[in-house]
Amino acid sequence: MGTGYSIKIVGLPAGIDSKALEHSIIKLLVNINSVMSTYQQDSELSRFNRNHSTQWVAVSSALATVVTEAQKISQLSQGAFDVTVGSLVNLWGFGPVHLTSEIPSLHQIEQAKEQVNFNLLKIRSLPPALKKERGDLYVDLSAIAKGYGVDQVATLLESQGINNYLVDIGGEERLKGYGPKGTAWRVAIEQPLAGERKVAHILDLTVGAVATSGDYRNYFDQNGKRYSHIINPSTGWPITHNLASVTVFSATAMEADGLATAILVLGPEQGFQLAEREQIAALLLIKTPAGFREEVTTHFMSNFLLGKSAE
Ligand code: ADP
Ligand code: MG
């Protein structure tokens, strides 16, 4: 997944060997990568992307599960979130092959945009299968697969009777129970600053998942403008609004991960409206000349207490 992970467990149940547990977690994550990574040429998803057939293709249930959740979020966001955005992601140099840090030509953008449309990707569940209605669709699950991985690790831990844990893959987290001090887990929300790490808020949580999507880690600059890895499928261009980051709290990390990206694509007004309408607990950090302005949804306010800013 091109990132690091950390798993914290408090109070390992008797009879569980931590080394053996570590090995099963690594095996699980390696497996997920071999299904849905676009960085691995031989992954199931890479093979599906190279296969230009427009017939049903049998896939693993893991792949079908993630695509099903992705399509649900595409419907909710009217295509702002779209895992068929891959050809644009690749064109802008944010895919597995880093071709460029330059603005593509308008012609190239128009061409790649033609290949993007979540409605052309069909799912069947029993048995799991996917079908492209356009042979050159390119599916990129980077905005949601990390969340899925976090949930799978959490499920594995719970199956071992572990009830106090915090799982983090590249900043997407899921937690339960209490931390090492016997109190709630403390989750930090970053200020959306490029090149430095500063905490905006700390939240005390005892159950659930949290994911953040932002434009401040993965981007390139050209002529004083920032071009980030979050692409608006309807324009074919990286987002240009002033919403810098979105943090979503949800029951599953997969949902939080996907929704955070969806809201970020939609921007400060439409994104906020979607979050309110769908009763999503979200925190939006919006760039202003005077620093970041924060907006939280009603569902966030009624469920979470924002800890004091660290600074
Ligand atoms: P991160 O991977 O940095 O945690 P996200 O979860 O927001 O952030 O995922 C960003 C990735 O999602 C991009 O690198 C790209 O591969 C993909 N992506 C970009 N735009 C979209 C979009 N509109 N819908 C779905 N996926 C997208
Ligand atoms: Mg995401």
Side-chain angles (χ1 to χ4, degrees), residues 249-296:
F249 299 82
S250 201
T252 70
M254 173 162 70
E255 187 179 75
D257 192 1
L259 287 176
T261 307
I263 295 169
L264 184 62
V265 175
L266 284 170
E269 290 92 24
Q270 282 186 54
F272 190 80
Q273 279 163 21
L274 169 87
E276 279 293 19
R277 188 181 76 229
E278 296 299 326
Q279 302 191 349
I280 296 165
L283 167 74
L284 284 67
L285 298 177
I286 298 156
K287 272 173 268 186
T288 76
F292 294 110
R293 179 163 56 86
E294 295 182 354
E295 278 185 25
V296 289

Side-chain angles (χ1 to χ4, degrees), residues 214-232:
D215 72 348
Y216 56 98
R217 288 273 175 263
N218 196 354
Y219 63 88
F220 67 85
D221 285 317
Q222 196 169 312
N223 304 328
K225 277 190 88 173
R226 182 183 293 181
Y227 297 92
S228 94
H229 68 144
I230 307 293
I231 313 276
N232 183 341

Side-chain angles (χ1 to χ4, degrees), residues 180-192:
K181 291 178 185 153
T183 53
W185 291 100
R186 313 208 77 195
V187 169
I189 299 171
E190 272 187 329
Q191 290 186 27

